[in-house]
Amino acid sequence: MTSVIIPSRKSENLCSCIAAIVRLDPTAMLNVIVVDDGLSERPDGDFNAIRARTIPGAKPFVFARNCNLGIRAAGDDDVILLNDDALLTTPNGFTRLIEAGQAHSEYGLIAAASNNVGNVNQRPRGVGLRDEPRMVCFTCVWIPRRTLKAVGLLDEIFTTYGFEDDDYCLRVRKAGLKLGIFDGCVMDHGTLKSTFRGAGHPGLAAGCKIFMAKWGHDTLGRPPIGATR
């Protein structure tokens, strides 16, 4: 089995997100774990059409921490970390993403393609499974249990916004595993409005500072300004 972990506090997003999975990949062998960050109401309808459960999230919201709660709750399952504002658009997309990952154990994780994501390499190219040399944004990413055992959980020192995915991808690469992007699974990341970004969020600068303090360089391997080697 694979567990789809969805941190969410907006019922409208969550219902749309799950409905897209039910509509386009109805036979996928998936468990859905919703990490509740303050949902105003329990979603109904398609929420009950697949194996889904809700667990309480920790507050204040930290993406890495709430994803880790879901990963632990998934037991021995492989996982897909999925933003609640990301909509599956490709028929059988999750099934195909999982199959691609299981067929290629050299990949430590594989991201779905997306129409709106920070890494432009993740935009759909229609070429199937391809390598990513540096990092993938965790809008929708498949991580097998073998990687979680080898690399560990997301680092919860990233308490602001972003760079937990940069950090995890670097750790995967240091473990000798590849990063992948799969065009057979495409996410719409522009239609729904994020509840974890927007007015009031601290931006990427704080996350970058945490990353550089941990690794001594930025995501491109460059030292801090004024540092000497």
Side-chain angles (χ1 to χ4, degrees):
M1 294 293 296
T2 296
S3 285
V4 181
I5 297 166
I6 312 174
S8 183
R9 68 166 176 247
K10 190 172 183 180
S11 299
E12 301 95 313
N13 277 11
L14 181 61
C15 286
S16 296
C17 179
I18 292 178
I21 300 172
V22 172
R23 183 175 66 255
L24 288 169
D25 207 346
T27 62
M29 297 297 291
L30 301 172
N31 294 311
V32 173
I33 299 173
V34 177
V35 185
D36 183 350
D37 189 58
L39 290 167
S40 59
E41 59 183 349
R42 177 185 169 87
D44 53 16
D46 283 327
F47 185 78
N48 296 314
I50 55 178
R51 293 170 290 274
R53 60 187 170 117
T54 302
I55 64 172
K59 293 183 179 298
F61 175 78
V62 174
F63 180 79
R65 179 167 61 192
N66 279 10
C67 283
N68 286 344
L69 290 172
I71 292 169
R72 292 188 184 99
D76 291 329
D77 284 3
D78 299 334
V79 301
I80 292 173
L81 304 183
L82 178 63
N83 289 5
D84 72 349
D85 60 341
L87 299 172
L88 180 66
T89 67
T90 42
N92 303 314
F94 282 178
T95 296
R96 296 178 64 195
L97 173 63
I98 294 164
E99 289 175 347
Q102 291 175 340
H104 295 276
S105 60
E106 68 271 25
Y107 288 92
L109 58 81
I110 301 174
S114 174
N115 62 347
N116 182 25
V117 70
N119 182 352
V120 296
N121 291 337
Q122 287 176 244
R123 293 178 184 173
R125 295 182 182 175
V127 296
L129 179 59
R130 47 194 168 89
D131 292 355
E132 162 55 39
R134 187 176 63 87
M135 68 83 65
V136 294
C137 300
F138 280 12
T139 303
C140 175
V141 61
W142 174 81
I143 308 176
R145 187 57 53 171
R146 63 177 182 268
T147 295
L148 293 166
K149 290 179 178 179
V151 177
L153 299 174
L154 277 65
D155 194 335
E156 297 179 15
I157 67 169
F158 293 91
T159 57
T160 56
Y161 178 77
F163 283 86
E164 66 285 309
D165 43 12
D166 294 86
D167 173 79
Y168 200 81
C169 288
L170 179 57
R171 289 159 57 196
V172 167
R173 288 163 45 209
K174 284 181 174 292
L177 298 167
K178 296 169 65 176
L179 310 176
I181 300 167
F182 183 59
D183 290 305
C185 181
V186 179
M187 309 302 296
D188 172 5
H189 193 224
T191 297
L192 300 179
K193 184 177 180 180
S194 171
T195 52
F196 301 122
R197 298 193 311 271
H201 86 70
L204 292 169
C208 181
K209 185 176 180 179
I210 295 170
F211 183 94
M212 294 186 75
K214 176 177 179 177
W215 292 106
H217 57 75
D218 67 9
T219 59
L220 297 177
R222 300 174 299 196
I225 295 174
T228 58
R229 288 181 180 269

